Amino acid sequence: MRAITISTPGGPEVLRVTEEPTPGIAADEVLVTVHAAGVNRADLLQRQGFYDPPAGATLIPGLEVSGTIAELGSDVTGWQIGDRVAALLSGGGYAESVPVPAGQLLRVPESLDLTEAAGLPEVLSTVHSNIVGNANIQAGEWLLVHGGGSGIGTAAIQIAAHLGVKIVVTVGSERKAEFCRSLGADAVINYRDEDFVERIHDICVRPDGSTGADVILDIIGAKYLKSNIKALGTDGRLVIIGMQGGAKAELSIASLMQPRKSVAGTTLRARPKEQKIEIVAEVAAQLWPAVISGDIRPIIHETMPLSEAPKAHAALEEGASIGKVLLIVDESAPAAKSAQHV
């Protein structure tokens, strides 16, 4: 099969199209013929040598795909060869075939374009497992998400609306600000022009006069740690899912204790298979109906052929994209018609 492999840690140019053995499957897995694969910042980190796959996982990058089932493991029930699926992976998505635990599949209805579906498993699973599973966000609370124009950010805006949560996002351009407002963000902060800590306390005001975000979903890490703590309200919860701004920072424990603030750090890729299956089941039950109805939709910046994976990584690194960048593995298939390209 054709796959993208990493010749050596480095820039986008180290991604190469190679011929790799078609993988076998375990009894609880299916083999998916990949139609499209989502490009995520975790893939960029892996390419740079900063984010190794979990033990036992393939070195081929790619954490989410769409496609059709080509083979069933002996213990798999409820699925058939030819079923259209989207899948959450530990790796291997940048390839023509990938094995997937059956519990990490989402059924793609005919109403949803198969290309679009590739941009959903990772962002939906990440946002929902962190703001609901880890932070226990409640309807009516305020959520702050950094990087509102990203795949995570555009998904979070829609998920917040679905859950009855009020959302503020940070962005770096007016173009992204306008798009986030059109998608349903309650407020947008341009971090280049405004202090997000000061603005969040102006925006998130409760009837009792208290201010600050109830939950923050952060992709920046160390650079924003102190500011994020200041931006939280009493009983606020900070969930860190990325380290684009570094991995080390100092923090006063006193800043957490009296206002009962908490900090958690998580990754999705490294979770045990059993946890990923639980997360996908929650997405299927709580978010997938909204995907099918169109209330939650994929936001796609650009699609590129698998062979242009270096260009796709460069596009994500430039930071101008809004939503997802996807690789079309089945290059003979027609392009998505209904996804919103921005």
Side-chain angles (χ1 to χ4, degrees):
M1 67 175 187
R2 288 188 315 140
I4 295 294
T5 54
I6 301 169
S7 59
T8 186
E13 70 280 356
V14 305
L15 298 174
R16 306 286 174 80
V17 179
T18 59
E19 289 291 328
E20 302 295 323
T22 300
I25 58 172
D28 65 342
E29 293 179 331
V30 306
L31 187 68
V32 172
T33 298
V34 178
H35 171 77
V39 179
N40 293 281
R41 288 200 172 270
D43 305 337
L44 276 57
L45 291 173
Q46 179 181 339
R47 188 205 74 223
Q48 295 164 350
F50 299 137
Y51 192 20
D52 292 335
T58 176
L59 297 178
I60 298 171
L63 301 180
E64 59 185 346
V65 297
S66 63
T68 56
I69 295 177
E71 186 179 343
L72 300 171
S74 58
D75 292 345
V76 174
T77 60
W79 297 97
Q80 296 181 355
I81 292 175
D83 281 349
R84 292 156 42 97
V85 296
L88 179 70
L89 311 172
S90 295
Y94 292 14
E96 290 180 319
S97 297
V98 64
V100 185
Q104 292 173 215
L105 298 172
L106 293 159
R107 193 177 300 275
V108 177
E110 292 297 328
S111 60
L112 180 61
D113 187 279
L114 197 56
T115 297
E116 296 180 39
L120 290 170
E122 177 74 14
V123 291
L124 296 187
S125 298
T126 296
V127 174
H128 192 269
S129 65
N130 280 291
I131 69 171
V132 176
N134 289 323
N136 191 31
I137 202 162
Q138 302 295 311
E141 288 192 311
W142 282 99
L143 169 66
L144 169 62
V145 175
H146 293 297
S150 66
I152 289 290
T154 54
I157 293 169
Q158 298 177 83
I159 292 171
H162 180 69
L163 298 174
V165 171
K166 294 173 287 188
I167 186 168
V168 184
V169 297
T170 62
V171 297
S173 71
E174 185 54 34
R175 171 174 165 266
K176 291 184 177 182
E178 290 178 4
F179 185 83
C180 290
R181 293 186 191 100
S182 72
L183 201 57
D186 294 280
V188 179
I189 300 169
N190 188 327
Y191 64 83
R192 299 184 190 279
D193 302 328
E194 303 175 287
D195 180 341
F196 78 82
V197 175
E198 180 179 331
R199 289 285 292 121
I200 206 71
H201 285 284
D202 291 337
I203 294 165
C204 304
V205 180
R206 298 168 190 80
D208 64 2
S210 62
T211 63
D214 296 292
V215 175
I216 298 176
L217 188 63
D218 176 51
I219 59 174
I220 302 299
K223 180 180 178 181
Y224 274 10
L225 181 60
K226 290 182 180 179
S227 295
N228 278 331
I229 296 302
K230 293 178 181 178
L232 286 173
T234 300
D235 292 310
R237 292 88 75 195
L238 168 62
V239 184
I240 303 171
I241 60 170
M243 296 181 292
Q244 294 181 33
K248 294 183 179 180
E250 291 187 358
L251 177 66
S252 167
I253 301 301
S255 67
L256 302 177
M257 293 179 67
Q258 185 173 354
R260 302 183 299 279
K261 299 176 182 180
S262 62
V263 181
T266 74
T267 63
L268 181 58
R269 185 183 196 181
R271 293 191 187 216
K273 178 176 68 176
E274 293 75 17
Q275 289 187 19
K276 291 178 185 174
I277 289 172
E278 290 178 5
I279 289 169
V280 171
E282 290 170 358
V283 168
Q286 299 183 37
L287 299 181
W288 208 244
V291 171
I292 294 172
S293 70
D295 290 338
I296 294 177
R297 65 187 192 274
I299 306 300
I300 299 174
H301 176 73
E302 192 171 4
T303 61
M304 303 181 191
L306 179 67
S307 56
E308 294 185 6
K311 181 180 176 182
H313 275 223
L316 202 61
E317 286 180 332
E318 287 171 2
S321 59
I322 296 178
K324 301 286 294 194
V325 175
L326 304 179
L327 292 173
I328 307 300
V329 180
D330 180 5
E331 297 179 15
S332 65
K337 296 179 179 179
S338 57
Q340 181 165 356
H341 292 249
V342 291

